PDB file of all heavy atoms in Angstrom:
ATOM      1  N   ILE A  49      16.992  -7.426 -12.269  1.00  0.00           N
ATOM      2  CA  ILE A  49      17.630  -7.248 -10.934  1.00  0.00           C
ATOM      3  C   ILE A  49      16.867  -8.353 -10.091  1.00  0.00           C
ATOM      4  O   ILE A  49      15.706  -8.140  -9.790  1.00  0.00           O
ATOM      5  CB  ILE A  49      17.523  -5.887 -10.400  1.00  0.00           C
ATOM      6  CG1 ILE A  49      18.135  -4.958 -11.385  1.00  0.00           C
ATOM      7  CG2 ILE A  49      18.015  -5.776  -8.981  1.00  0.00           C
ATOM      8  CD1 ILE A  49      18.102  -3.470 -10.993  1.00  0.00           C
ATOM      9  N   PHE A  56      11.545  -5.552  -6.224  1.00  0.00           N
ATOM     10  CA  PHE A  56      11.087  -4.179  -6.530  1.00  0.00           C
ATOM     11  C   PHE A  56      11.823  -3.155  -5.665  1.00  0.00           C
ATOM     12  O   PHE A  56      12.200  -2.100  -6.276  1.00  0.00           O
ATOM     13  CB  PHE A  56       9.500  -4.119  -6.204  1.00  0.00           C
ATOM     14  CG  PHE A  56       8.957  -2.791  -6.438  1.00  0.00           C
ATOM     15  CD1 PHE A  56       8.523  -2.307  -7.638  1.00  0.00           C
ATOM     16  CD2 PHE A  56       8.896  -1.691  -5.364  1.00  0.00           C
ATOM     17  CE1 PHE A  56       8.012  -1.032  -7.918  1.00  0.00           C
ATOM     18  CE2 PHE A  56       8.402  -0.505  -5.617  1.00  0.00           C
ATOM     19  CZ  PHE A  56       8.000  -0.210  -6.834  1.00  0.00           C
ATOM     20  N   VAL A  57      11.960  -3.319  -4.439  1.00  0.00           N
ATOM     21  CA  VAL A  57      12.816  -2.396  -3.648  1.00  0.00           C
ATOM     22  C   VAL A  57      14.148  -2.179  -4.051  1.00  0.00           C
ATOM     23  O   VAL A  57      14.674  -1.138  -4.290  1.00  0.00           O
ATOM     24  CB  VAL A  57      12.694  -2.816  -2.128  1.00  0.00           C
ATOM     25  CG1 VAL A  57      13.622  -1.952  -1.240  1.00  0.00           C
ATOM     26  CG2 VAL A  57      11.358  -2.882  -1.556  1.00  0.00           C
ATOM     27  N   ALA A  58      14.856  -3.359  -4.472  1.00  0.00           N
ATOM     28  CA  ALA A  58      16.197  -3.268  -4.881  1.00  0.00           C
ATOM     29  C   ALA A  58      16.327  -2.611  -6.290  1.00  0.00           C
ATOM     30  O   ALA A  58      17.150  -1.675  -6.548  1.00  0.00           O
ATOM     31  CB  ALA A  58      16.874  -4.637  -5.017  1.00  0.00           C
ATOM     32  N   GLY A  59      15.320  -2.872  -7.203  1.00  0.00           N
ATOM     33  CA  GLY A  59      15.275  -2.182  -8.509  1.00  0.00           C
ATOM     34  C   GLY A  59      14.962  -0.702  -8.366  1.00  0.00           C
ATOM     35  O   GLY A  59      15.661   0.084  -9.130  1.00  0.00           O
ATOM     36  N   LEU A  60      14.087  -0.367  -7.531  1.00  0.00           N
ATOM     37  CA  LEU A  60      13.781   1.108  -7.335  1.00  0.00           C
ATOM     38  C   LEU A  60      14.993   1.825  -6.762  1.00  0.00           C
ATOM     39  O   LEU A  60      15.386   2.874  -7.278  1.00  0.00           O
ATOM     40  CB  LEU A  60      12.729   1.253  -6.373  1.00  0.00           C
ATOM     41  CG  LEU A  60      12.214   2.656  -6.045  1.00  0.00           C
ATOM     42  CD1 LEU A  60      11.757   3.349  -7.346  1.00  0.00           C
ATOM     43  CD2 LEU A  60      11.073   2.632  -5.020  1.00  0.00           C
ATOM     44  N   ASP A  61      15.705   1.190  -5.890  1.00  0.00           N
ATOM     45  CA  ASP A  61      16.918   1.717  -5.344  1.00  0.00           C
ATOM     46  C   ASP A  61      18.081   2.025  -6.370  1.00  0.00           C
ATOM     47  O   ASP A  61      18.569   2.990  -6.599  1.00  0.00           O
ATOM     48  CB  ASP A  61      17.468   0.976  -4.155  1.00  0.00           C
ATOM     49  CG  ASP A  61      18.587   1.613  -3.346  1.00  0.00           C
ATOM     50  OD1 ASP A  61      18.498   2.767  -3.020  1.00  0.00           O
ATOM     51  OD2 ASP A  61      19.663   0.947  -3.169  1.00  0.00           O
ATOM     52  N   VAL A  62      18.378   0.883  -7.132  1.00  0.00           N
ATOM     53  CA  VAL A  62      19.305   0.893  -8.117  1.00  0.00           C
ATOM     54  C   VAL A  62      19.027   1.916  -9.172  1.00  0.00           C
ATOM     55  O   VAL A  62      19.798   2.786  -9.664  1.00  0.00           O
ATOM     56  CB  VAL A  62      19.611  -0.509  -8.672  1.00  0.00           C
ATOM     57  CG1 VAL A  62      20.615  -0.402  -9.967  1.00  0.00           C
ATOM     58  CG2 VAL A  62      20.200  -1.329  -7.622  1.00  0.00           C
ATOM     59  N   MET A  63      17.833   1.908  -9.790  1.00  0.00           N
ATOM     60  CA  MET A  63      17.385   2.727 -10.915  1.00  0.00           C
ATOM     61  C   MET A  63      17.252   4.097 -10.580  1.00  0.00           C
ATOM     62  O   MET A  63      17.473   4.920 -11.277  1.00  0.00           O
ATOM     63  CB  MET A  63      16.152   2.056 -11.532  1.00  0.00           C
ATOM     64  CG  MET A  63      16.322   0.686 -12.110  1.00  0.00           C
ATOM     65  SD  MET A  63      17.925   0.326 -12.895  1.00  0.00           S
ATOM     66  CE  MET A  63      17.880   1.435 -14.339  1.00  0.00           C
ATOM     67  N   SER A  64      16.842   4.416  -9.205  1.00  0.00           N
ATOM     68  CA  SER A  64      16.811   5.832  -8.900  1.00  0.00           C
ATOM     69  C   SER A  64      18.145   6.486  -8.970  1.00  0.00           C
ATOM     70  O   SER A  64      18.290   7.621  -9.374  1.00  0.00           O
ATOM     71  CB  SER A  64      16.199   5.879  -7.423  1.00  0.00           C
ATOM     72  OG  SER A  64      17.129   5.466  -6.445  1.00  0.00           O
ATOM     73  N   TYR A  65      19.151   5.768  -8.606  1.00  0.00           N
ATOM     74  CA  TYR A  65      20.567   6.332  -8.764  1.00  0.00           C
ATOM     75  C   TYR A  65      20.905   6.462 -10.210  1.00  0.00           C
ATOM     76  O   TYR A  65      21.654   7.492 -10.521  1.00  0.00           O
ATOM     77  CB  TYR A  65      21.608   5.455  -7.947  1.00  0.00           C
ATOM     78  CG  TYR A  65      21.475   5.605  -6.505  1.00  0.00           C
ATOM     79  CD1 TYR A  65      20.984   4.526  -5.700  1.00  0.00           C
ATOM     80  CD2 TYR A  65      21.881   6.808  -5.855  1.00  0.00           C
ATOM     81  CE1 TYR A  65      20.868   4.658  -4.328  1.00  0.00           C
ATOM     82  CE2 TYR A  65      21.805   6.890  -4.418  1.00  0.00           C
ATOM     83  CZ  TYR A  65      21.238   5.821  -3.769  1.00  0.00           C
ATOM     84  OH  TYR A  65      21.140   5.978  -2.391  1.00  0.00           O
ATOM     85  N   MET A  66      20.536   5.563 -11.055  1.00  0.00           N
ATOM     86  CA  MET A  66      20.857   5.713 -12.434  1.00  0.00           C
ATOM     87  C   MET A  66      20.157   6.911 -13.005  1.00  0.00           C
ATOM     88  O   MET A  66      20.731   7.595 -13.912  1.00  0.00           O
ATOM     89  CB  MET A  66      20.457   4.433 -13.169  1.00  0.00           C
ATOM     90  CG  MET A  66      21.199   3.137 -12.706  1.00  0.00           C
ATOM     91  SD  MET A  66      22.907   3.133 -13.216  1.00  0.00           S
ATOM     92  CE  MET A  66      22.840   2.333 -14.717  1.00  0.00           C
ATOM     93  N   VAL A  67      18.967   7.125 -12.718  1.00  0.00           N
ATOM     94  CA  VAL A  67      18.074   8.325 -13.167  1.00  0.00           C
ATOM     95  C   VAL A  67      18.843   9.602 -12.609  1.00  0.00           C
ATOM     96  O   VAL A  67      19.018  10.491 -13.315  1.00  0.00           O
ATOM     97  CB  VAL A  67      16.665   8.178 -12.823  1.00  0.00           C
ATOM     98  CG1 VAL A  67      15.920   9.488 -13.143  1.00  0.00           C
ATOM     99  CG2 VAL A  67      16.070   7.021 -13.611  1.00  0.00           C
ATOM    100  N   GLU A  68      19.090   9.624 -11.266  1.00  0.00           N
ATOM    101  CA  GLU A  68      19.723  10.828 -10.666  1.00  0.00           C
ATOM    102  C   GLU A  68      20.961  11.160 -11.346  1.00  0.00           C
ATOM    103  O   GLU A  68      21.346  12.279 -11.513  1.00  0.00           O
ATOM    104  CB  GLU A  68      19.912  10.540  -9.147  1.00  0.00           C
ATOM    105  CG  GLU A  68      20.559  11.674  -8.414  1.00  0.00           C
ATOM    106  CD  GLU A  68      19.821  13.007  -8.367  1.00  0.00           C
ATOM    107  OE1 GLU A  68      18.496  12.942  -8.676  1.00  0.00           O
ATOM    108  OE2 GLU A  68      20.414  14.060  -8.198  1.00  0.00           O
ATOM    109  N   ALA A  69      21.794  10.076 -11.717  1.00  0.00           N
ATOM    110  CA  ALA A  69      23.079  10.427 -12.324  1.00  0.00           C
ATOM    111  C   ALA A  69      23.059  10.681 -13.719  1.00  0.00           C
ATOM    112  O   ALA A  69      24.007  11.211 -14.349  1.00  0.00           O
ATOM    113  CB  ALA A  69      23.949   9.063 -12.192  1.00  0.00           C
ATOM    114  N   GLY A  70      21.778  10.725 -14.299  1.00  0.00           N
ATOM    115  CA  GLY A  70      21.610  11.051 -15.783  1.00  0.00           C
ATOM    116  C   GLY A  70      21.866   9.964 -16.755  1.00  0.00           C
ATOM    117  O   GLY A  70      21.951  10.246 -17.930  1.00  0.00           O
ATOM    118  N   ARG A  71      22.133   8.786 -16.227  1.00  0.00           N
ATOM    119  CA  ARG A  71      22.424   7.599 -17.074  1.00  0.00           C
ATOM    120  C   ARG A  71      21.117   7.348 -17.949  1.00  0.00           C
ATOM    121  O   ARG A  71      21.265   6.991 -19.044  1.00  0.00           O
ATOM    122  CB  ARG A  71      22.901   6.398 -16.380  1.00  0.00           C
ATOM    123  CG  ARG A  71      23.150   5.176 -17.038  1.00  0.00           C
ATOM    124  CD  ARG A  71      24.444   5.327 -17.947  1.00  0.00           C
ATOM    125  NE  ARG A  71      24.790   4.059 -18.595  1.00  0.00           N
ATOM    126  CZ  ARG A  71      24.667   3.846 -19.904  1.00  0.00           C
ATOM    127  NH1 ARG A  71      24.215   4.844 -20.635  1.00  0.00           N
ATOM    128  NH2 ARG A  71      24.926   2.776 -20.466  1.00  0.00           N
ATOM    129  N   TYR A  72      19.954   7.360 -17.324  1.00  0.00           N
ATOM    130  CA  TYR A  72      18.710   7.065 -17.960  1.00  0.00           C
ATOM    131  C   TYR A  72      17.723   8.265 -17.662  1.00  0.00           C
ATOM    132  O   TYR A  72      17.706   8.752 -16.575  1.00  0.00           O
ATOM    133  CB  TYR A  72      18.074   5.705 -17.447  1.00  0.00           C
ATOM    134  CG  TYR A  72      18.998   4.554 -17.713  1.00  0.00           C
ATOM    135  CD1 TYR A  72      19.371   3.744 -16.729  1.00  0.00           C
ATOM    136  CD2 TYR A  72      19.351   4.279 -19.051  1.00  0.00           C
ATOM    137  CE1 TYR A  72      20.225   2.688 -16.878  1.00  0.00           C
ATOM    138  CE2 TYR A  72      20.175   3.114 -19.249  1.00  0.00           C
ATOM    139  CZ  TYR A  72      20.587   2.324 -18.293  1.00  0.00           C
ATOM    140  OH  TYR A  72      21.399   1.260 -18.528  1.00  0.00           O
ATOM    141  N   LEU A  73      16.964   8.602 -18.684  1.00  0.00           N
ATOM    142  CA  LEU A  73      15.978   9.684 -18.494  1.00  0.00           C
ATOM    143  C   LEU A  73      14.722   9.131 -17.776  1.00  0.00           C
ATOM    144  O   LEU A  73      14.107   9.639 -16.860  1.00  0.00           O
ATOM    145  CB  LEU A  73      15.611  10.262 -19.955  1.00  0.00           C
ATOM    146  CG  LEU A  73      14.587  11.324 -19.871  1.00  0.00           C
ATOM    147  CD1 LEU A  73      15.103  12.476 -19.159  1.00  0.00           C
ATOM    148  CD2 LEU A  73      14.211  11.677 -21.321  1.00  0.00           C
ATOM    149  N   VAL A  75      12.795   5.092 -16.614  1.00  0.00           N
ATOM    150  CA  VAL A  75      12.981   3.664 -16.512  1.00  0.00           C
ATOM    151  C   VAL A  75      11.628   3.140 -16.218  1.00  0.00           C
ATOM    152  O   VAL A  75      10.885   3.583 -15.341  1.00  0.00           O
ATOM    153  CB  VAL A  75      13.965   3.304 -15.319  1.00  0.00           C
ATOM    154  CG1 VAL A  75      13.961   1.821 -15.078  1.00  0.00           C
ATOM    155  CG2 VAL A  75      15.370   3.857 -15.616  1.00  0.00           C
ATOM    156  N   LEU A  77      10.174   0.091 -14.535  1.00  0.00           N
ATOM    157  CA  LEU A  77      10.618  -0.968 -13.472  1.00  0.00           C
ATOM    158  C   LEU A  77       9.354  -1.927 -13.435  1.00  0.00           C
ATOM    159  O   LEU A  77       8.356  -1.509 -13.017  1.00  0.00           O
ATOM    160  CB  LEU A  77      10.882  -0.278 -12.140  1.00  0.00           C
ATOM    161  CG  LEU A  77      11.153  -1.385 -11.080  1.00  0.00           C
ATOM    162  CD1 LEU A  77      12.387  -2.207 -11.363  1.00  0.00           C
ATOM    163  CD2 LEU A  77      11.350  -0.589  -9.771  1.00  0.00           C
ATOM    164  N   ILE A 107       9.980   5.448 -13.661  1.00  0.00           N
ATOM    165  CA  ILE A 107      10.764   6.190 -12.785  1.00  0.00           C
ATOM    166  C   ILE A 107      11.471   7.372 -13.564  1.00  0.00           C
ATOM    167  O   ILE A 107      12.068   7.041 -14.589  1.00  0.00           O
ATOM    168  CB  ILE A 107      11.935   5.421 -12.041  1.00  0.00           C
ATOM    169  CG1 ILE A 107      11.261   4.237 -11.275  1.00  0.00           C
ATOM    170  CG2 ILE A 107      12.748   6.272 -11.125  1.00  0.00           C
ATOM    171  CD1 ILE A 107      12.230   3.202 -10.907  1.00  0.00           C
ATOM    172  N   ALA A 108      11.354   8.632 -13.039  1.00  0.00           N
ATOM    173  CA  ALA A 108      11.914   9.753 -13.775  1.00  0.00           C
ATOM    174  C   ALA A 108      12.213  10.827 -12.696  1.00  0.00           C
ATOM    175  O   ALA A 108      11.707  10.764 -11.546  1.00  0.00           O
ATOM    176  CB  ALA A 108      11.044  10.328 -14.776  1.00  0.00           C
ATOM    177  N   LYS A 109      13.097  11.745 -12.988  1.00  0.00           N
ATOM    178  CA  LYS A 109      13.319  12.818 -12.074  1.00  0.00           C
ATOM    179  C   LYS A 109      12.195  13.765 -11.909  1.00  0.00           C
ATOM    180  O   LYS A 109      11.406  13.966 -12.887  1.00  0.00           O
ATOM    181  CB  LYS A 109      14.487  13.690 -12.589  1.00  0.00           C
ATOM    182  CG  LYS A 109      15.786  13.291 -12.235  1.00  0.00           C
ATOM    183  CD  LYS A 109      16.891  14.371 -12.643  1.00  0.00           C
ATOM    184  CE  LYS A 109      18.224  14.003 -12.141  1.00  0.00           C
ATOM    185  NZ  LYS A 109      19.188  15.022 -12.334  1.00  0.00           N
ATOM    186  N   ARG A 117      10.025  12.285  -4.178  1.00  0.00           N
ATOM    187  CA  ARG A 117      11.387  11.673  -4.181  1.00  0.00           C
ATOM    188  C   ARG A 117      11.461  10.661  -3.273  1.00  0.00           C
ATOM    189  O   ARG A 117      10.579  10.433  -2.337  1.00  0.00           O
ATOM    190  CB  ARG A 117      12.244  12.875  -3.898  1.00  0.00           C
ATOM    191  CG  ARG A 117      12.172  13.335  -2.507  1.00  0.00           C
ATOM    192  CD  ARG A 117      12.870  14.709  -2.328  1.00  0.00           C
ATOM    193  NE  ARG A 117      12.112  15.694  -2.962  1.00  0.00           N
ATOM    194  CZ  ARG A 117      12.550  16.606  -3.945  1.00  0.00           C
ATOM    195  NH1 ARG A 117      13.804  16.609  -4.139  1.00  0.00           N
ATOM    196  NH2 ARG A 117      11.783  17.462  -4.441  1.00  0.00           N
ATOM    197  N   ILE A 118      12.505   9.857  -3.267  1.00  0.00           N
ATOM    198  CA  ILE A 118      12.991   8.886  -2.392  1.00  0.00           C
ATOM    199  C   ILE A 118      13.609   9.723  -1.269  1.00  0.00           C
ATOM    200  O   ILE A 118      14.623  10.438  -1.423  1.00  0.00           O
ATOM    201  CB  ILE A 118      13.936   7.909  -2.934  1.00  0.00           C
ATOM    202  CG1 ILE A 118      13.106   7.011  -3.960  1.00  0.00           C
ATOM    203  CG2 ILE A 118      14.489   7.000  -1.807  1.00  0.00           C
ATOM    204  CD1 ILE A 118      14.027   5.950  -4.557  1.00  0.00           C
ATOM    205  N   LEU A 119      13.132   9.585  -0.025  1.00  0.00           N
ATOM    206  CA  LEU A 119      13.623  10.287   1.177  1.00  0.00           C
ATOM    207  C   LEU A 119      14.985   9.586   1.541  1.00  0.00           C
ATOM    208  O   LEU A 119      15.940  10.345   1.930  1.00  0.00           O
ATOM    209  CB  LEU A 119      12.636  10.316   2.208  1.00  0.00           C
ATOM    210  CG  LEU A 119      11.334  11.013   1.939  1.00  0.00           C
ATOM    211  CD1 LEU A 119      10.405  10.930   3.069  1.00  0.00           C
ATOM    212  CD2 LEU A 119      11.509  12.403   1.381  1.00  0.00           C
ATOM    213  N   SER A 120      14.957   8.333   1.720  1.00  0.00           N
ATOM    214  CA  SER A 120      16.213   7.741   2.175  1.00  0.00           C
ATOM    215  C   SER A 120      16.088   6.154   1.840  1.00  0.00           C
ATOM    216  O   SER A 120      15.003   5.615   1.716  1.00  0.00           O
ATOM    217  CB  SER A 120      16.158   7.812   3.718  1.00  0.00           C
ATOM    218  OG  SER A 120      17.287   7.109   4.276  1.00  0.00           O
ATOM    219  N   THR A 121      17.171   5.510   1.635  1.00  0.00           N
ATOM    220  CA  THR A 121      17.079   4.107   1.395  1.00  0.00           C
ATOM    221  C   THR A 121      18.228   3.447   2.203  1.00  0.00           C
ATOM    222  O   THR A 121      19.290   4.078   2.519  1.00  0.00           O
ATOM    223  CB  THR A 121      17.369   3.658  -0.029  1.00  0.00           C
ATOM    224  OG1 THR A 121      18.622   4.132  -0.466  1.00  0.00           O
ATOM    225  CG2 THR A 121      16.334   4.221  -0.973  1.00  0.00           C
ATOM    226  N   ALA A 210      20.226  13.334  -1.313  1.00  0.00           N
ATOM    227  CA  ALA A 210      19.290  12.229  -1.591  1.00  0.00           C
ATOM    228  C   ALA A 210      18.940  12.232  -3.055  1.00  0.00           C
ATOM    229  O   ALA A 210      18.973  13.236  -3.706  1.00  0.00           O
ATOM    230  CB  ALA A 210      17.974  12.301  -0.717  1.00  0.00           C
ATOM    231  N   SER A 211      18.556  11.005  -3.552  1.00  0.00           N
ATOM    232  CA  SER A 211      18.039  10.900  -4.948  1.00  0.00           C
ATOM    233  C   SER A 211      16.823  11.662  -5.105  1.00  0.00           C
ATOM    234  O   SER A 211      15.861  11.486  -4.346  1.00  0.00           O
ATOM    235  CB  SER A 211      17.890   9.454  -5.290  1.00  0.00           C
ATOM    236  OG  SER A 211      19.149   8.745  -5.306  1.00  0.00           O
ATOM    237  N   HIS A 212      16.759  12.506  -6.052  1.00  0.00           N
ATOM    238  CA  HIS A 212      15.590  13.273  -6.366  1.00  0.00           C
ATOM    239  C   HIS A 212      15.053  12.933  -7.692  1.00  0.00           C
ATOM    240  O   HIS A 212      15.729  12.850  -8.784  1.00  0.00           O
ATOM    241  CB  HIS A 212      15.907  14.829  -6.495  1.00  0.00           C
ATOM    242  CG  HIS A 212      16.415  15.326  -5.151  1.00  0.00           C
ATOM    243  ND1 HIS A 212      17.630  15.005  -4.659  1.00  0.00           N
ATOM    244  CD2 HIS A 212      15.907  16.275  -4.291  1.00  0.00           C
ATOM    245  CE1 HIS A 212      17.849  15.655  -3.482  1.00  0.00           C
ATOM    246  NE2 HIS A 212      16.857  16.366  -3.272  1.00  0.00           N
ATOM    247  N   PHE A 213      13.793  12.460  -7.744  1.00  0.00           N
ATOM    248  CA  PHE A 213      13.095  12.107  -9.059  1.00  0.00           C
ATOM    249  C   PHE A 213      11.661  12.135  -8.857  1.00  0.00           C
ATOM    250  O   PHE A 213      11.097  12.238  -7.779  1.00  0.00           O
ATOM    251  CB  PHE A 213      13.656  10.852  -9.594  1.00  0.00           C
ATOM    252  CG  PHE A 213      13.477   9.660  -8.670  1.00  0.00           C
ATOM    253  CD1 PHE A 213      12.561   8.703  -8.977  1.00  0.00           C
ATOM    254  CD2 PHE A 213      14.272   9.583  -7.562  1.00  0.00           C
ATOM    255  CE1 PHE A 213      12.470   7.535  -8.159  1.00  0.00           C
ATOM    256  CE2 PHE A 213      14.205   8.469  -6.777  1.00  0.00           C
ATOM    257  CZ  PHE A 213      13.230   7.554  -6.963  1.00  0.00           C
TER     258      PHE A 213
END
Side-chain angles (χ1 to χ4, degrees):
I49 296 175
F56 178 83
V57 174
L60 180 61
D61 188 48
V62 170
M63 299 320 295
S64 70
Y65 287 106
M66 299 290 270
V67 169
E68 176 65 19
R71 179 72 174 109
Y72 300 122
L73 182 62
V75 173
L77 174 63
I107 302 166
K109 273 190 174 186
R117 65 196 73 232
I118 292 177
L119 301 180
S120 174
T121 62
S211 292
H212 298 66
F213 56 109

